[in-house]
Amino acid sequence: MARVQLEHVTKRYDDVTAVDDMNLDIDHGEFVTLVGPSGCGKSTTMETISGLTVPTEGTVRIGERDVTNLPPKDRGISMVFQNIALFPHMDVYENISFGLRLRNYEKEEIDKRVDEAAEVVELEGMLDRMPDEMSGGQRQRVAIARAIVRDPDVFLMDEPLANLDAKLRVHMRTQLQRLHRELDTTIIYVTHNQAEAMTMSDRIAVLDTGQLQQIAPPLVCYNEPANLFVATFIGSPSMNTIEGEITNDGFASTYGQVAVEFDPTAFGLTPGQSVTLGVRPEDVYVTTLVDDLAHPTAPVPTRSDVLEPMGDEIFVYLVTEDIAEGGSMEEGSDPGEILMSVDPDSDVQEDQEMDVILDRSKLHLFDEDGEAITHGLVEAPAAASGPAGTEVEGDD
């Protein structure tokens, strides 16, 4: 069984902590993606699992073995990197079989494994081609086949699609999902691309400054982010966030008020408490364009500023009426904007005054430290625990 466990793993480079007290438990057969901005520690975490770097502190286990100090060749892993690194003087067969030939496998076994791997990645009939005769996607599939033939316990993939064009990345995402299903093995994947993380993963681990922020299924991270960082990082475009304070009937900020008509004390809140309100663009509606919304806020007067047609939707940047008139924005502060998503056939125009409502069931509140207070202002949470299905790094 290819369970992968990181127990209090820390990696320091002089005075820089690349990974800080990382705890991960990945089950056999899971597809887990490490995602985060550049410099967040995701590649260092991958290198620690692979054995390319030794942790300063902590333990790495693969299966039942402590592999913390084992070299990569003894860990039962295969890696696929961003840079494909095929041997240019070898044909596809020779590239795929290189590792097996190095380990003196029998010719019959090598042929069998190469044929099976080529079938999985759809390279049948191309085994005699040279790398410079192939497209970028085909070369990447050769690299994946080279990893498959080793029959590893764990696949480690470090941004393998980053150098491909957009259309080919979408195609290869589908290929990797099929690969995971057919091989029924553990895959740990590193990317900064949210589309890859959201579409392929059983769970995603969101990292920032070397620390694990949340590990949960993609939609849990999207709908129930553990903190403000996850809320703004997961989702494209990002969640709208507005700093302000709780009032007796809702939320107020420099940029205006949102009347929610709820009992703050039922959510453990007190009037005057500083919070950050979050709402995703798809949960903002023009009052004249929505027929029925189960849990709307009171209307908020706004004006459309910039429109971005995206084909299947239009992104509308809104400013509140107060900001549009310059009446309530503090001097020197940035203009407050709300991003809204509308259907492409809507008649919204630039510089148009409109009332918008927010879906109360999709409003998020975060405390001064950025930790989630609640997701939805309809019913008070039963307990003060984190969102269901969420594991958050904490102090032991």
Side-chain angles (χ1 to χ4, degrees), residues 243 253-256 322-323 326-337:
E243 294 182 2
S253 76
T254 305
Y255 311 115
D322 287 339
I323 296 301
S328 66
M329 184 171 65
E330 293 179 354
E331 183 178 355
S333 65
D334 294 328
E337 289 185 329

Side-chain angles (χ1 to χ4, degrees), residues 6 25 174 200 211 272 371:
L6 273 63
D25 193 342
T174 304
M200 296 193 298
Q211 296 182 327
E371 298 300 316

Side-chain angles (χ1 to χ4, degrees), residues 275-287:
V275 297
T276 298
L277 175 73
V279 62
R280 295 202 179 275
E282 64 268 25
D283 299 320
V284 182
Y285 302 88
V286 181
T287 54

Side-chain angles (χ1 to χ4, degrees), residues 13 29 63 77 87 104 108 158 162 195 226 256 272 280 287 298 300 320 324 327 354 370:
Y13 297 96
I77 55 102
F87 296 109
N104 298 316
E108 182 179 350
D158 193 352
R280 295 202 179 275
T287 54
V300 178
T320 66
M354 65 187 76

